[in-house]
Amino acid sequence: MKRLISLCAMFAMFALMYAQNIRNFTPGQIWKDTKGVHINAHGGGMLLHKNTYYWFGEHKVEGGIGNTAQVGVHCYSSKDLYNWVDEGIALQVSDDSISDIQRGCILERPKVIYNSRTKKFVMWFHLELKGKGYTSARAGIAVADKVTGPYTFVCSTRATPGSYPVNVKELSTDTKKLFVRDLNGGQMVRDQQLFVDDDGKAYHIFASEDNSTLHIAELTDTYLGYTGKYVRVFENRYMEAPAIFKKDGLYYFVGSGCTGWAPNAARSAAAPSIWGPWVELGNPCVGEGADKTFQSQSTYILPVQGMKNAFIYMGDRWTPSNPIDGRYVWLPIQFEENKFEIEWQDEWNLDFFRR
Ligand code: DGJ
């Protein structure tokens, strides 16, 4: 009898494990972690470290207050990209009223990269100081010795204070005003992204100048600050949600227009060098729902380890009235010569890239 009971228990355990084993991406549906809780990592980014993927994103809470940072940056890990283990809060907001990351600040789009020289994990995020709406427009920086944290807040800053862009000759009379306004204090940082090139150099890509123009700025060797070298790109094109990836020596860009939390048509571009020239390629989305990026906004483009030409578009389907309910839209990127396309899939898996 005892044996029968333990056999039944074992069977039940295997059945549960099997049931929880996710084998497909289902864009826009509730995506549960291995404990059965909806993944809470919005505006996220990915770090592949020692054959494990780490997903960092904004931890949201229920209700309107969830559009401000009440908890911090959440981290999950996965070996297969379908099943995610909750690794807890990597960076906690602070209860100290003099901290830049005081609870109630706005902390968006965290991204983490690893610095092999310093052996530190470095997180950058868009930071708005508590109670100041979106006027602070700063970059926040935190570091950790362990990938999952805890991350220690280092500082917040405006970008590249006092520096002129490499493409200074292209400054138009109009944008000169905004650009010059922030020249000494530092340029605005809103939606943001990090990109590490093959040579280990890291770049910060962010919406600046009241969201009108993006900047791509080189980071120092420690990844903790700016070298002062940068370019202004897509002048006056009002782009947000930037993500950059590289394939066969070409640099690709995905972003969105500027319509708050509401989805709009995605943008794309390509360049032979991170410094440009960046040539716009139009909306990469095709088919029904393409005009609103399938109700999502880009947050990261993920190269899949061990697969050739396999890149995943990671987007957010925001729900600002109840931010914790935000969904994730992950879709495969398909290349067409030197362009790429994103097409809706109800359900898909990595076999898509083997076709
Ligand atoms: C759109 C941005 O992409 C988000 O990260 C967030 O800043 C919202 N705007 C705020 O309205």
Side-chain angles (χ1 to χ4, degrees):
M1 186 62 179
K2 250 189 183 167
R3 233 176 123 177
L4 188 72
I5 292 173
S6 57
L7 262 172
C8 286
M10 251 170 75
F11 180 76
M13 208 175 78
F14 281 126
L16 194 74
M17 270 168 63
Y18 185 78
Q20 282 179 347
N21 191 21
I22 300 172
R23 286 148 190 263
N24 291 306
F25 302 111
T26 50
Q29 304 296 312
I30 291 270
W31 192 349
K32 292 181 177 168
D33 66 17
T34 52
K35 283 193 259 157
V37 180
H38 181 36
I39 293 172
N40 198 337
H42 309 266
M46 202 65 81
L47 174 70
L48 176 68
H49 187 71
K50 295 193 176 158
N51 295 318
T52 301
Y53 294 96
Y54 294 89
W55 177 357
F56 296 87
E58 304 160 32
H59 179 105
K60 303 275 197 189
V61 300
E62 280 179 11
I65 198 174
N67 293 311
T68 60
Q70 298 298 319
V71 177
V73 176
H74 209 134
C75 175
Y76 294 83
S77 67
S78 174
K79 293 269 186 206
D80 62 8
L81 292 173
Y82 309 114
N83 297 281
W84 292 90
V85 176
D86 185 352
E87 299 284 356
I89 302 302
L91 174 69
Q92 301 263 5
V93 292
S94 168
D95 280 318
D96 185 339
S97 63
I98 61 159
S99 168
D100 285 1
I101 57 164
Q102 190 188 352
R103 196 183 308 277
C105 67
I106 293 172
L107 194 167
E108 293 179 340
R109 298 183 178 270
K111 304 289 177 289
V112 174
I113 53 180
Y114 177 63
N115 190 306
S116 52
R117 291 174 198 227
T118 62
K119 310 261 184 283
K120 300 273 184 203
F121 296 89
V122 182
M123 179 190 290
W124 284 62
F125 49 89
H126 164 202
L127 177 70
E128 299 290 347
L129 302 175
K130 186 176 178 180
K132 300 203 163 153
Y134 277 86
T135 57
S136 309
R138 299 176 77 78
I141 306 163
V143 283
D145 294 321
K146 215 178 124 212
V147 58
T148 51
Y151 284 75
T152 306
F153 177 67
V154 178
C155 66
S156 82
T157 178
R158 279 282 185 97
T160 58
S163 300
Y164 279 92
V166 172
N167 53 351
V168 64
K169 289 198 189 108
E170 292 161 35
L171 280 175
S172 73
T173 327
D174 265 8
T175 49
K176 240 182 194 162
K177 283 184 218 134
L178 268 178
F179 168 79
V180 169
R181 178 194 70 186
D182 291 333
L183 181 61
N184 290 328
Q187 301 294 335
M188 298 174 92
V189 176
R190 288 208 182 118
D191 280 9
Q192 62 106 47
Q193 183 75 224
L194 296 174
F195 173 74
V196 182
D197 212 337
D198 305 328
D199 60 3
K201 279 225 172 295
Y203 301 88
H204 191 209
I205 301 102
F206 51 93
S208 194
E209 302 177 38
D210 278 338
N211 282 350
S212 64
T213 300
L214 288 178
H215 288 197
I216 301 178
E218 187 181 69
L219 299 187
T220 57
D221 286 348
T222 59
Y223 301 167
L224 293 174
Y226 298 103
T227 62
K229 181 175 178 185
Y230 72 102
V231 274
R232 299 171 70 248
V233 289
F234 311 124
E235 185 179 79
N236 268 334
R237 292 284 291 134
Y238 285 87
M239 295 199 191
E240 288 192 313
I244 281 180
F245 63 103
K246 191 177 182 183
K247 179 185 160 288
D248 299 333
L250 261 188
Y251 296 78
Y252 291 93
F253 165 89
V254 186
S256 73
C258 229
T259 52
W261 299 112
N264 54 56
R267 316 271 181 92
S268 69
S273 149
I274 190 89
W275 302 118
W278 284 93
V279 176
E280 282 199 52
L281 301 172
N283 183 355
C285 300
V286 292
E288 201 183 325
D291 58 332
K292 295 276 189 292
T293 317
F294 315 111
Q295 303 294 320
S296 75
Q297 188 185 30
S298 44
T299 185
Y300 195 79
I301 303 296
L302 172 67
V304 181
Q305 186 189 30
M307 294 184 103
K308 201 168 157 36
N309 298 341
F311 294 83
I312 298 176
Y313 160 87
M314 288 170 55
D316 290 285
R317 186 172 286 176
W318 303 110
T319 51
S321 58
N322 190 24
I324 195 171
D325 194 31
R327 309 291 171 87
Y328 311 102
V329 173
W330 287 22
L331 292 167
I333 291 191
Q334 304 175 62
F335 292 90
E336 292 282 328
E337 295 183 359
N338 286 342
K339 279 180 73 156
F340 62 92
E341 288 184 348
I342 304 169
E343 203 178 5
W344 178 256
Q345 317 284 328
D346 288 332
E347 190 165 358
W348 68 285
N349 59 39
L350 296 178
D351 286 339
F352 186 96
F353 298 117
R354 295 193 180 97
R355 297 194 311 197

